[in-house]
Amino acid sequence: MPMDRRTFFKRSAGAALAATAFAALDMKAWAQTVTDAPVEVKPSLCNMCTSECGMHIHVKNGRPWKVTGHPGHPVSRGKLCPRAHGGLQWIYDPARVKTPLRRIGEWEFEPISWEQAADEISEKLNRILEEHGPEAVFGAQYPRPTGNLYLNRLMHALGVSTTQTHEATCQAGRRIAMSATFGAAFDADWENSDYLLFIGRNMGEAIRTGAATAFARAIERGAKVVCVDPRLSHSAAITEWVPIKPGTDLALLLAISNVLVSENLFDRSFISNHTNGFVPFRRHIQQYTPDWAEEITGIPAGKIRDIAHGLAAAAPHCAVDTGWKAAVGSCYSNSTDTARAVAYVNGLLGNIGQRGGISVPPGVILGRPEFPAPAVPDGPRNDGAGTDYPLASTDAGLPHVTMERAQQGKVKAGFIRHFNPVRSFPNYEHMRNGMKALDLLVVFETHMSETAIEAHYILPEPSFAEREEVAKPVGDTVAIRTKALQPVHPETKSLDESIPMLAEKLGVGEYFRFTLDEWNEALLAEQPFTLAELKREGTLAATVSDEPVLPEGCGTLVPPREQAPKTRPRAFLVSNDRNGPRPVPQLFTRSGRFEFYSREFERAGFDPIAKWYPPETGLELGSNEFRVVHGKQAYHTHVATNNIKILAQVTRDYDTNRVWINRSRADELGIRENDTIRLRARNGRTAEARVKVTERIHPDMLFAPAGYGNRTPYYEVAKELGGFNPHDLSDYLREPISGHTMMSELIVEVEPA
């Protein structure tokens, strides 16, 4: 930057004054004062991944010193993963967004005031609404109560129907499939199970600390745990690993159902009293024998029978884990039906609501704030959820489809909060070009992510440690994020400040005339503690319902008014008594029963009972072709954390951003440890990556650790770290049932670079 004479003397005078002040300072006294300062321990919630673990932030001299797990929080159980500790560096990251920014060129911005940003955004959005209608607008966020309240409420006030989340890259298939069978996507009761079967889920790296603790305790207690996975993951390494040909999990599960039915190993009482459609299911499943499945999956028929027999012997204190993403979420064209097949096995075992089976927990009783609320719009959406994709969730939506329609000129404006679809969805160019086609993109963010840098306006939020949020139910508790620090950057505003400001400018301010405290106090009206007490403790045991309540995010295809009345008691997982069956909960389907034959799927034009079919890209590979499958590491979250120095250093120290390749296939291709390979997708796109050569992976597969390869120029640490990202080679895909992204339908040719 040029410096003229006046500037030079001005800065020199400032330096002289600073030197004088420095000389007058008693450094020893100052150091002692700082050392003796008390440590304040403030409860909050982590924000480094989806789990939002309860934590304590230890603050000294106004700065965070360390974090520890909150022992009363059901997800953290007093423990935190590496990301939580690394998150403290996020607070002071140079890539933080410090003031409102307006785009002035490609990836170039200038600071402006909040008032100017709100005026310009409201003027442009009102023009778009007038000319194109609310169908041309969308709102998208990582789905948590604060975003649901403020961003979705703003969209509804403006008549916008298209609200979206990340789910099309996550558990979309799982949620829809399990909603159609037993009404919601519940987890297994891992800790108390005698036999657990995991289908691709890696509890040791896709970490929720409480779940990982429960998983470890099950193993310590002597539970039988089987991990079916094309890769020897951290979870599989401490259990029984059953390798499988990637994309064939559906065949395995259908064959397990076949054994349970043909050998009369199913729970007759549960089937008779709590299910619909078992007779046609029984006929349908006869074709899927273990010998048939062996030819597809590569798992010996005897092993398939052993798994089925082991589950049956442990029933009902056993479970096929319901997964999250993996084979049941958004990886393959058959992922949704793979999730239905997971549900079938659990239904046959009669484990729903039973200790060690599928956990159907009671729900926390929350009050209903009476502040004026806009009607939920019923106008057309711009992503096809509920119409072109009739079973797709209309609260999660399909952001990748919206980007297609943006490029067609049908979508003009978007508002995005704490969500990076440009880099977290397959086909980077497709997502980026969709954002670039918008006339108005507003992003609420803490950092200059790949999505933020495509925005017309970036509105800065405080970090997780600098803001308060809406209280949320967690298991049988209520937890809250509290403000542990004053904002490091004074021009940042939390969503409860920025959204009402925009709403006033847009003429819908009447729906936001309440404070965050007033909203939280209304939520807690029926709880035995006050908001002040909750803020002081962070997490508190809550009053729960006598009926099961659908947890937020579990999903159901059936509107609440059409669900069967919930009349069962809430004793599902409260007692430690293992003697005798528990009452079976009435489920969140229309009938209140488990559905082997789904009328929901049938009405939408899909098979009412899941059948076998391979991934869209098929199972046959060329001599140098591989299927690319990605997965998590315990110290990174998607593409969000690679710019944190301490977490990036873990990657460097252990050299973990390499692509895994099977040793025998590597030998055939002349590839050695740490070599660089060239990957060429069937669409012609290419990339390069270094390799880890190992026997721990199926010969048909490459494993790519997820989250590397950031494309934003503002992430200096991540840029230096580098790494391969499959999204650069992937096509824009939509799975027919749920519309999800089919993230593992990527086949590449491999050769030495």
Side-chain angles (χ1 to χ4, degrees), residues 479-493:
I480 193 168
R481 185 188 311 285
T482 65
K483 183 187 289 187
L485 309 172
Q486 290 304 309
V488 175
H489 304 294
E491 287 300 305
T492 58
K493 289 184 184 292

Side-chain angles (χ1 to χ4, degrees), residues 410-728:
K410 299 176 182 178
V411 181
K412 299 294 184 180
F415 289 73
I416 299 175
R417 190 240 182 184
H418 281 194
F419 178 30
N420 188 9
V422 170
R423 200 61 184 133
S424 61
F425 272 62
N427 197 326
Y428 168 80
E429 292 298 337
H430 168 76
M431 298 302 294
R432 184 182 180 219
N433 288 338
M435 298 293 178
K436 290 173 67 176
L438 298 172
D439 292 340
L440 176 64
L441 177 60
V442 179
V443 173
F444 302 82
E445 253 299 357
T446 57
H447 287 74
M448 299 291 283
S449 70
E450 285 83 355
T451 300
I453 62 174
E454 303 300 341
H456 298 91
Y457 297 90
I458 308 175
L459 302 182
E461 277 208 276
S463 73
F464 68 93
E466 305 165 272
R467 65 177 189 264
E468 292 189 349
E469 293 197 334
V470 175
K472 58 182 286 189
V474 186
D476 57 359
T477 72
V478 175
I480 193 168
R481 185 188 311 285
T482 65
K483 183 187 289 187
L485 309 172
Q486 290 304 309
V488 175
H489 304 294
E491 287 300 305
T492 58
K493 289 184 184 292
S494 54
L495 212 62
D496 60 294
E497 299 173 291
S498 58
I499 290 289
M501 182 180 187
L502 282 173
E504 290 292 344
K505 300 282 187 180
L506 289 162
V508 292
E510 67 268 25
Y511 298 119
F512 296 91
R513 294 194 180 131
F514 54 84
T515 66
L516 181 59
D517 277 355
E518 288 170 342
W519 185 271
N520 280 329
E521 285 168 350
L523 284 180
L524 301 177
E526 298 186 56
Q527 291 299 325
F529 47 81
T530 65
L531 177 60
E533 291 170 328
L534 180 60
K535 286 185 180 183
R536 185 173 64 248
E537 300 298 329
T539 302
L540 287 170
T543 300
V544 296
S545 172
D546 287 337
E547 301 170 354
V549 175
L550 185 68
E552 185 176 13
C554 283
T556 178
L557 291 169
V558 183
R561 64 181 180 278
E562 298 179 33
Q563 293 170 12
K566 307 298 182 290
T567 59
R568 299 279 179 180
R570 66 169 179 85
F572 313 139
L573 292 176
V574 176
S575 168
N576 289 325
D577 182 16
R578 296 181 70 106
N579 298 323
R582 290 181 173 179
V584 176
Q586 201 162 25
L587 301 175
F588 290 89
T589 56
R590 282 190 171 88
S591 64
R593 296 162 70 91
F594 185 99
E595 304 286 353
F596 282 103
Y597 188 105
S598 173
R599 300 292 181 188
E600 303 289 341
F601 271 62
E602 188 175 51
R603 279 191 286 270
F606 301 111
D607 292 308
I609 304 173
K611 67 180 183 182
W612 162 250
Y613 52 99
E616 182 174 282
T617 44
L619 297 176
E620 298 300 319
L621 299 174
S623 60
N624 64 338
E625 282 192 323
F626 297 79
R627 180 179 299 279
V628 180
V629 177
H630 63 274
K632 290 187 176 181
Q633 296 176 322
Y635 38 88
H636 283 303
T637 299
H638 307 302
V639 291
T641 58
N642 292 319
N643 208 51
I644 296 175
K645 289 183 179 180
I646 194 169
L647 299 181
Q649 193 60 46
V650 176
T651 297
R652 291 191 187 94
D653 289 347
Y654 295 94
D655 203 9
T656 57
N657 59 347
R658 294 177 293 167
V659 170
W660 292 26
I661 187 171
N662 176 269
R663 184 174 299 280
S664 63
R665 293 292 303 279
D667 289 344
E668 291 172 5
L669 297 171
I671 295 170
R672 294 182 175 85
E673 178 80 354
N674 281 325
D675 278 358
T676 298
I677 59 171
R678 182 173 296 106
L679 304 90
R680 182 181 299 276
R682 289 176 175 176
N683 57 26
R685 298 193 190 104
T686 62
E688 291 187 352
R690 285 190 310 116
V691 295
K692 173 185 176 72
V693 178
T694 177
E695 293 88 356
R696 292 173 53 189
I697 189 169
H698 193 281
D700 286 357
M701 173 179 148
L702 298 178
F703 172 73
Y708 294 104
N710 285 93
R711 300 284 286 264
T712 168
Y714 292 88
Y715 285 9
E716 294 292 339
V717 175
K719 193 189 313 181
E720 182 182 333
L721 192 63
F724 165 67
N725 193 311
H727 296 343
D728 293 331

Side-chain angles (χ1 to χ4, degrees), residues 25 165 178 251 311 334 348 355 460 523 572 663 679 683 729:
L25 183 65
T165 76
M178 294 180 188
L311 287 164
N334 63 17
L348 291 169
R355 185 172 181 81
L523 284 180
F572 313 139
R663 184 174 299 280
L679 304 90
N683 57 26
L729 303 184

